[in-house]
Amino acid sequence: MDALLVLLAAIALGGLVFLPWMRRRRAVQQTRQGLLVAGDPMAGYGFVPLDELDVRLPGPDQELDDALAAVRHSRDWRPAAELLKSTGDDWELRWQRVQTLAGSAAFELARETTDGEDHAAGPRSGGIWLRTWRLESPKDPGGAQTHAQFLVLQALRDPGSQDFRMIMEEARTVCREAALLAPGSPIPYLTELAVARGLGERAADFEELWTEVVRRAPHHMGAHLAALPYWSQKWHGSRAQAEAFAQRAAAGAPEKSLLPALPLFAVYEHLPEANLVRGLYQSAVVERAIEGAHFALDQAPADHPVAPHVRHLLIWFLVRAERYAEAMEQLRLVDGHVGAVPWSYGRSPAAEYAAYRALAIAGWEQLGGTSAGFPRDGH
């Protein structure tokens, strides 16, 4: 669920942009009121200013930051390869890092195209380090995994293109090459979940692919987040199917798992486009999903790679439910990074996040909270 993946895909898929746009329009109206009450949302709280928010990641990962900086500076693939090699079989962390590396290469190429550079004299150089990685080290599973994810992003940039299916099929081929290079890894199969969704594979075929994922990483939170959209009403399922998938995963979660938070994502995927009922976010369904997310975060390790994703979505729901003190606690733990759903569905993730942050501060202060009483040890 990396920000670059979600952002590029959401911008490309017009059908997925409409719902977040409706939410954003209402959020802007609410934020104007919140800013009037809260004044300067930075004053005394120690929050990161808007223009310094990191839109790439949901939470800090200094090793990934360093690798990205080295790759960007030198255009050498080796820092990325060393990062994934050191990550080993920490599958949650590896999945997030593979997505981010692929997203970085895709972003470089997209930015080069958007900037209107003249490529008549030669090939594009954006993301060239990834192409070089594959050429110089074709047996490196990290390079193959990153390449497969990169191809998915390229396809999703223009799903209406006549090349969409061809690129997705190429991505599937590279996924299977990556699977052969690291037979025990679930990562290629997670990327192939997106391929199957994009190509509209039959439910039976998707289930077969999901079986391969579960065999390698049965309680992988990132895998469940990657599979959930297939069962949603927006893609090839329904609200009932998505909620059933999420509830089964939550019910079968082992100790210290984030899976009890999955129903919150299923609820978010199926919110009505135009909601004028204030009590929706205080309903039993939403309340149960929020409590499930709280429970998961309390039980899971504090440094779980996917925990920031849960916290960001929880902030969105808590602000909507007017549970401002709880929202402030989550803000304290993630502030500074905003590369997560729901912010990344908008055209300006940092502004989306800052809007809800301002609303949380306004609500907190209306209830008697002050900056002096706000703990800052989360940074």
Side-chain angles (χ1 to χ4, degrees), residues 39-52:
D40 180 3
M42 298 301 104
Y45 288 96
F47 287 141
V48 175
L50 173 63
D51 59 357
E52 296 178 19

Side-chain angles (χ1 to χ4, degrees), residues 101-360:
L101 291 170
S104 179
F107 179 74
E108 288 176 21
L109 186 58
R111 182 177 59 186
E112 186 176 89
T113 303
T114 303
D115 288 346
E117 295 181 15
D118 183 5
H119 303 290
R124 296 171 180 169
S125 60
I128 192 171
W129 56 271
L130 178 54
R131 298 194 291 275
T132 306
W133 186 0
R134 291 289 283 144
L135 286 171
E136 295 183 356
S137 187
K139 300 300 183 182
D140 184 345
Q145 292 165 8
T146 305
H147 184 207
Q149 186 65 36
F150 169 82
L151 289 169
V152 169
L153 292 176
Q154 289 300 101
L156 289 175
R157 286 190 63 211
D158 187 5
S161 166
Q162 62 180 0
D163 296 329
F164 175 79
R165 177 167 289 274
M166 180 186 69
I167 298 173
M168 278 295 198
E169 292 287 0
E170 183 183 357
R172 178 167 17 216
T173 298
V174 178
C175 283
R176 293 176 180 177
E177 291 174 5
L180 291 174
L181 293 172
S185 174
I187 305 302
Y189 297 92
L190 268 65
T191 299
E192 196 170 345
L193 291 172
V195 174
R197 185 176 72 243
L199 293 177
E201 297 289 342
R202 296 181 311 152
D205 294 330
F206 191 84
E207 287 279 15
E208 184 177 348
L209 177 59
W210 179 243
T211 298
E212 294 298 325
V213 174
V214 171
R215 189 159 65 86
R216 292 164 174 80
H219 306 296
H220 193 289
M221 181 64 175
H224 283 78
L225 289 174
L228 180 63
Y230 179 91
W231 300 112
S232 74
Q233 189 173 338
K234 297 175 186 176
W235 288 91
H236 310 296
S238 65
R239 176 174 181 170
Q241 287 177 295
E243 289 181 350
F245 175 79
Q247 292 294 342
R248 283 196 303 271
E255 293 183 0
K256 300 182 179 180
S257 170
L258 280 177
L259 286 175
L262 194 62
L264 190 69
F265 290 83
V267 170
Y268 180 77
E269 286 292 321
H270 295 89
L271 289 172
E273 293 180 358
N275 168 42
L276 302 178
V277 182
R278 184 180 183 186
L280 172 64
Y281 299 96
Q282 298 169 346
S283 67
V285 171
V286 172
E287 185 173 328
R288 282 196 300 270
I290 288 175
E291 295 314 310
H294 274 309
F295 173 81
L297 290 169
D298 288 343
Q299 297 297 312
D303 62 349
H304 194 295
V306 187
H309 286 281
V310 178
R311 295 189 189 282
H312 280 289
L313 188 59
L314 190 52
I315 289 166
W316 191 91
F317 273 99
L318 289 171
V319 170
R320 291 275 177 141
E322 301 179 7
R323 296 164 64 166
Y324 301 116
E326 295 169 65
M328 291 291 283
E329 172 63 13
Q330 299 304 321
L331 285 164
R332 181 179 70 85
L333 295 170
V334 299
D335 190 65
H337 296 79
V338 299
V341 172
W343 326 121
S344 51
Y345 273 159
R347 293 188 179 278
S348 179
E352 299 285 334
Y353 169 83
Y356 275 77
R357 185 173 63 182
L359 285 168

Side-chain angles (χ1 to χ4, degrees), residues 30-109:
Q30 292 173 323
T31 303
R32 290 172 181 164
Q33 300 171 1
L35 288 172
L36 290 174
V37 177
D40 180 3
M42 298 301 104
Y45 288 96
F47 287 141
V48 175
L50 173 63
D51 59 357
E52 296 178 19
L53 292 170
D54 189 334
V55 302
R56 301 169 303 163
L57 296 170
D61 185 340
Q62 190 59 52
E63 291 181 345
L64 178 56
D65 274 342
D66 293 344
L68 287 171
V71 168
R72 186 167 53 250
H73 175 73
S74 65
R75 293 192 175 183
D76 184 1
W77 55 270
R78 289 172 181 81
E82 286 300 317
L83 175 73
L84 292 185
K85 184 177 180 180
S86 68
T87 306
D89 60 358
D90 184 339
W91 302 131
E92 296 277 15
L93 183 60
R94 189 179 185 91
W95 173 232
Q96 185 153 287
R97 287 177 168 178
V98 164
Q99 289 186 88
T100 305
L101 291 170
S104 179
F107 179 74
E108 288 176 21
L109 186 58

